[in-house]
Amino acid sequence: MNTPEVPRKPSIAVWKFASCDGCQLTLLDCEDDLLAVAGEVELAYFLEAGRASVGGPYDLSIVEGSITTAGDAARIREVRAMSKRLVTIGACATAGGIQALRNFGDVKEFLAIVYAQPQFISTLTDSTPIAAHVPVDFELRGCPITKTQLLEVIGAFLHGRRPNVSPHSVCVECKRAGNVCVTVAHGTPCLGPVTQAGCGALCPSYNRGCYGCFGPMENPNLPSMVQTLRYQGVDDGGVIRMLRTFNAGAPPFRDASEAIEAEARGSEA
Amino acid sequence: MTFGPCCDVAWGIHRDVTLSDGALLIDRRGLETLFQALGSQGYTVIAPTVRDGAIVYDEVDGIEELPAGVTDIQQPGSYRLSTRDDGALFGYAVGPHSWKKYLFRSEAVVFRARLDAERGFVPSEAGEPAATRYAFVGVRACEVAAIEVQDRVFLEGSHRERDYESRRDGAFVIAVQCGEPGGTCFCVSMHTGPRAESGFDLALTELVDAQLHEFVVEVGSARGGAIMASVPSRPAQSRDLGAARAVSDRAASRMGRTMESDGLPQRLAELLEHPQWDDVASRCLSCTNCTLVCPTCFCSSVEDTTDLTGTEAIRTRRWDSCFTLDHSYIHGGSVRASTRDQYRQWLTHKLSTWVDQFGTSGCVGCGRCITWCPVGIDLTAEVAALLAPAD
Ligand code: SF4
Ligand code: SF4
Ligand code: SF4
């Protein structure tokens, strides 16, 4: 008897580097949708969901976390080598994460303060995004990522199309939601105009300013944003703190915060 | 491209300011009865109300939800509520929302489709037509003009926007003649206000002082007249009409801003390489707020998504803006890749090429783009800088 050939389901692996696991948790959080995902793909490697692990190669690798050690810098090359497509998820993997704050300081000094025996710690001086080490097919932003966007990226991968993930500002989502702008109506500092959409304007919907969790939008004008924050009464230290959170290492945010420091040094000199 | 021989023709506006005969007078109780009558005729009443520190448009149950004694202070990039001691119900200018929120929704399903083995994707369900009939209360003259601009865009071309049409058709429009223009208003310059002369079912002028609180009601349609039959009223006397006219005259003399509009379409078309575009681009955030608050801006993107199995597809229309890169993306890249090009597209479309396309200006002078720009970019100031003689 001829059994019809069952097409092999695409295999997906989920990898973790320096990160908090929150983005991987988003996949588990997909609940009912996760069953649909499980029906369409073979979750070949996903330690957070179970032990069963299948060796590569994989059709799609989903990578969370940044590169902070020499070991991880080597491991991400192996992951890339055994993956047809590689998608990075979250602020750590796409911008270096909150741990990229080390990039602005002296890691040796941090180690001496934090660890009793710093000689046992082997770490790189910078926290860098995955794309600084290997080619990446798509970067999904957010701290954490948004579940619907993750499903959209997986769906787009399965059907060979471009993900519908918009790189425009948070303000677009804020206005679509019908929110009253917190900056204009309350004078609340908000990073929405320079931040990429994806969260559904979560914070402005609760009358808070945007914290910039999704990193810089497509063509951010940081000098003008910084001027506006100052005009709203945020001092330079405050502006630097706003820019140095989960996406501190993203080049436009990084450059803007460093420019403020350079300006301060210039006026001291 | 052609422009009319006289500015009034080019801007498609001709307004003859007279208060119609047959105007009525009602008091606050009459207004309450009018709200009830709208409700009992099956309308969902949308009106100004205070929320999150602003006067927004939302569903209301009665006149007690109107912003009584509240006003707004508007400047470029700034909006604050304040109080007024006369208890006026409509003593403020336009806020962050416009009626576009209800007529041209920020997000709408165009259709759903299912994959068929032989025929490919087959539409299974068209986007739902509006089940709701709206009564819009407090529509200002500039907003009546803005709705007419969107009507031209969505209903008068070769393709009709069905979702817009289904919402617009049944909508009952109660205008309010402005008494308190905002700091960023310039409808007088754009010949769209402060009085609405047509385009409404009813138009109210609020007369309020220490002794009285009344509304002159102009009737603009048969159904407007019919609903007034169930509202206790008396014919407005010439004294009332004079008071109503004075409200509008006072508003006209207190515009927050002015804009040079004579010959503007043609003059702007000649200034496409002006250095002012670089100047504004250094301030502009490309955030899209100006376009999304604008009551005439109509850009949207249409996105197709599938479920994970690839068998169910949805086509969704969402508000988009000339300030996003995807909006001008064609094969190979975005046509307008810099903020300079985006801002120039926005301003010249509003004030110049819109006239070629639709026969009127795309700007009604409501001032929203000025107030709700996080960095306070003021198009009247940009236009003035563009038109200023080079030194
Ligand atoms: S609240 Fe923030 S995100 Fe929303 S429109 Fe204002 S600036 Fe943009
Ligand atoms: S361009 Fe500005 S002032 Fe003109 S109609 Fe639009 S929001 Fe109002
Ligand atoms: S003009 Fe203002 S509101 Fe419009 S995109 Fe630029 S910064 Fe945003």
Side-chain angles (χ1 to χ4, degrees):
Chain A
M1 202 177 90
N2 271 343
T3 41
E5 204 181 307
V6 181
R8 188 183 67 85
K9 285 190 206 168
S11 58
I12 294 191
V14 183
W15 307 93
K16 176 185 158 61
F17 287 80
S19 61
C20 77
D21 275 35
C23 290
Q24 292 190 51
L25 262 181
T26 306
L27 189 53
L28 285 180
D29 256 1
C30 289
E31 295 164 353
D32 288 356
D33 294 314
L34 186 61
L35 295 177
V37 174
E40 296 305 310
V41 304
E42 180 192 359
L43 274 172
Y45 182 86
F46 186 16
L47 288 183
E48 200 157 290
R51 293 239 188 106
S53 61
V54 180
Y58 305 101
D59 292 305
L60 174 65
S61 274
I62 296 176
V63 180
E64 174 196 271
S66 70
I67 303 299
T68 55
T69 65
D72 274 356
R75 185 162 64 101
I76 188 62
R77 290 203 168 76
E78 288 169 26
V79 169
R80 177 70 259 194
M82 58 174 140
S83 313
K84 276 196 199 142
R85 290 264 183 270
L86 188 151
V87 167
T88 53
I89 60 168
C92 300
T94 60
I98 190 88
Q99 58 274 26
L101 285 176
R102 68 162 69 174
N103 305 5
F104 302 96
D106 179 354
V107 169
K108 284 213 186 75
E109 207 177 302
F110 293 150
L111 290 179
I113 296 167
V114 176
Y115 297 99
Q117 295 187 298
Q119 68 272 25
F120 296 123
I121 307 291
S122 151
T123 187
L124 299 172
T125 54
D126 283 358
S127 169
T128 43
I130 301 298
H133 299 264
V134 295
V136 169
D137 294 295
F138 189 79
E139 292 188 308
L140 184 63
R141 304 275 200 84
C143 185
I145 54 168
T146 298
K147 154 180 149 173
T148 45
Q149 287 200 324
L150 178 62
L151 289 169
E152 166 59 18
V153 169
I154 295 174
F157 156 76
L158 287 174
H159 304 294
R161 61 174 171 81
R162 180 182 169 214
N164 267 318
V165 172
S166 300
H168 55 54
S169 70
V170 172
C171 299
V172 177
E173 290 184 320
C174 194
K175 282 288 179 286
R176 282 184 193 148
N179 292 339
V180 173
C181 174
V182 302
T183 279
V184 170
H186 313 156
T188 302
C190 178
L191 287 177
V194 291
T195 301
Q196 179 169 311
C199 60
L202 191 58
C203 291
S205 302
Y206 290 93
N207 279 325
R208 302 292 301 262
C210 165
Y211 291 92
C213 310
F214 280 61
M217 51 80 99
E218 53 194 6
N219 55 338
N221 184 345
L222 266 302
S224 180
M225 184 82 248
V226 169
Q227 272 309 107
T228 307
L229 295 172
R230 284 172 169 160
Y231 179 77
Q232 288 173 320
V234 186
D235 62 19
D236 283 355
V239 176
I240 291 174
R241 278 193 298 280
M242 286 179 77
L243 295 172
R244 289 191 184 162
T245 60
F246 323 105
N247 289 282
F253 288 6
R254 178 199 62 203
D255 295 351
S257 70
E258 287 181 336
I260 299 171
E261 284 177 339
E263 233 176 85
R265 278 196 302 274
S267 60
E268 271 165 30
Chain B
M1 109 177 140
T2 55
F3 297 101
C6 123
C7 66
D8 266 7
V9 176
W11 293 78
I13 299 223
H14 180 74
R15 284 176 195 271
D16 191 10
V17 184
T18 52
L19 262 167
S20 56
D21 293 336
L24 302 167
L25 196 74
I26 61 173
D27 58 13
R28 271 182 66 125
R29 286 220 312 284
L31 189 64
E32 180 83 70
T33 315
L34 176 58
F35 272 57
Q36 285 158 4
L38 290 165
S40 61
Q41 290 197 10
Y43 288 105
T44 298
V45 180
I46 312 292
T49 190
V50 174
R51 193 191 83 202
D52 295 333
I55 296 165
V56 300
Y57 295 151
D58 216 333
E59 201 174 321
V60 300
D61 289 328
I63 68 166
E64 66 286 350
E65 290 184 53
L66 296 175
V70 181
T71 191
D72 50 19
I73 300 166
Q74 303 196 33
Q75 287 305 324
S78 169
Y79 178 102
R80 292 292 183 279
L81 290 182
S82 181
T83 52
R84 44 189 296 149
D85 46 24
D86 60 4
L89 299 179
F90 297 101
Y92 39 83
V94 295
H97 291 163
S98 72
W99 305 99
K100 162 168 120 173
K101 177 181 170 192
Y102 295 96
L103 294 173
F104 181 58
R105 293 184 294 162
S106 63
E107 198 164 308
V109 171
V110 181
F111 64 75
R112 289 168 207 278
R114 179 162 300 156
L115 189 62
D116 178 280
E118 270 123 51
R119 294 182 296 159
F121 274 105
V122 182
S124 53
E125 189 189 315
E128 64 284 20
T132 317
R133 273 196 315 153
Y134 292 111
F136 299 142
V137 180
V139 183
R140 306 309 176 108
C142 62
E143 301 187 295
V144 170
I147 292 171
E148 286 169 352
V149 168
Q150 289 214 324
D151 284 351
R152 256 170 250 130
V153 174
F154 292 133
L155 305 178
E156 287 172 20
S158 46
H159 302 284
R160 296 169 83 82
E161 223 303 323
R162 280 184 309 172
D163 189 61
Y164 180 91
E165 189 173 25
S166 70
R167 291 159 175 275
R168 175 72 173 106
D169 271 353
F172 192 102
V173 175
I174 301 187
V176 162
Q177 309 290 20
C178 277
E180 195 66 61
T184 57
C185 289
F186 57 104
C187 62
V188 168
S189 301
M190 304 316 288
H191 313 287
T192 56
R195 284 190 54 78
E197 297 298 335
S198 61
F200 52 77
D201 294 291
L202 298 173
L204 311 176
T205 308
E206 185 168 29
L207 303 179
V208 58
D209 63 25
Q211 277 82 44
L212 57 90
H213 196 168
E214 293 172 324
F215 302 87
V216 171
V217 184
E218 295 160 78
V219 177
S221 72
R223 65 178 177 175
I227 206 160
M228 282 311 291
S230 58
V231 177
S233 67
R234 62 177 174 80
Q237 306 300 309
S238 64
R239 184 175 46 100
D240 308 319
L241 298 178
R245 210 168 288 120
V247 166
S248 296
D249 291 346
R250 217 170 92 79
S253 69
R254 292 164 66 231
M255 285 288 122
R257 283 181 153 57
T258 55
M259 186 156 77
E260 171 77 63
S261 62
D262 281 359
L264 189 56
Q266 191 144 29
R267 293 166 75 189
L268 283 176
E270 286 157 9
L271 294 170
L272 298 181
E273 299 304 327
H274 198 288
Q276 185 63 20
W277 302 118
D278 291 312
D279 185 279
V280 69
S282 72
R283 288 169 278 135
C284 174
L285 301 167
S286 282
C287 64
T288 78
N289 278 304
C290 49
T291 54
L292 301 184
V293 293
C294 177
T296 68
C297 274
F298 55 77
C299 284
S300 61
S301 64
V302 174
E303 290 166 16
D304 292 343
T305 46
T306 53
D307 68 348
L308 286 168
T309 65
T311 53
E312 301 281 344
I314 302 181
R315 174 164 294 183
T316 315
R317 173 183 66 56
R318 292 195 176 85
W319 283 355
D320 200 355
S321 163
C322 47
F323 285 93
T324 73
L325 291 179
D326 275 351
H327 187 64
S328 72
Y329 185 91
I330 56 170
H331 176 77
S334 288
V335 174
R336 291 182 287 276
S338 70
T339 302
R340 171 186 183 270
D341 295 351
Q342 292 170 339
Y343 189 87
R344 183 177 61 180
Q345 159 66 23
W346 179 68
L347 187 135
T348 55
H349 188 214
K350 286 272 116 166
L351 301 173
S352 174
T353 50
W354 202 294
V355 182
D356 306 330
Q357 221 182 337
F358 301 108
T360 66
S361 172
C363 175
V364 297
C366 72
R368 285 185 180 88
C369 57
I370 306 173
T371 299
W372 298 97
C373 170
V375 294
I377 291 172
D378 172 351
L379 90 165
T380 66
E382 296 308 318
V383 165
L386 285 161
L387 299 185
D391 21 65

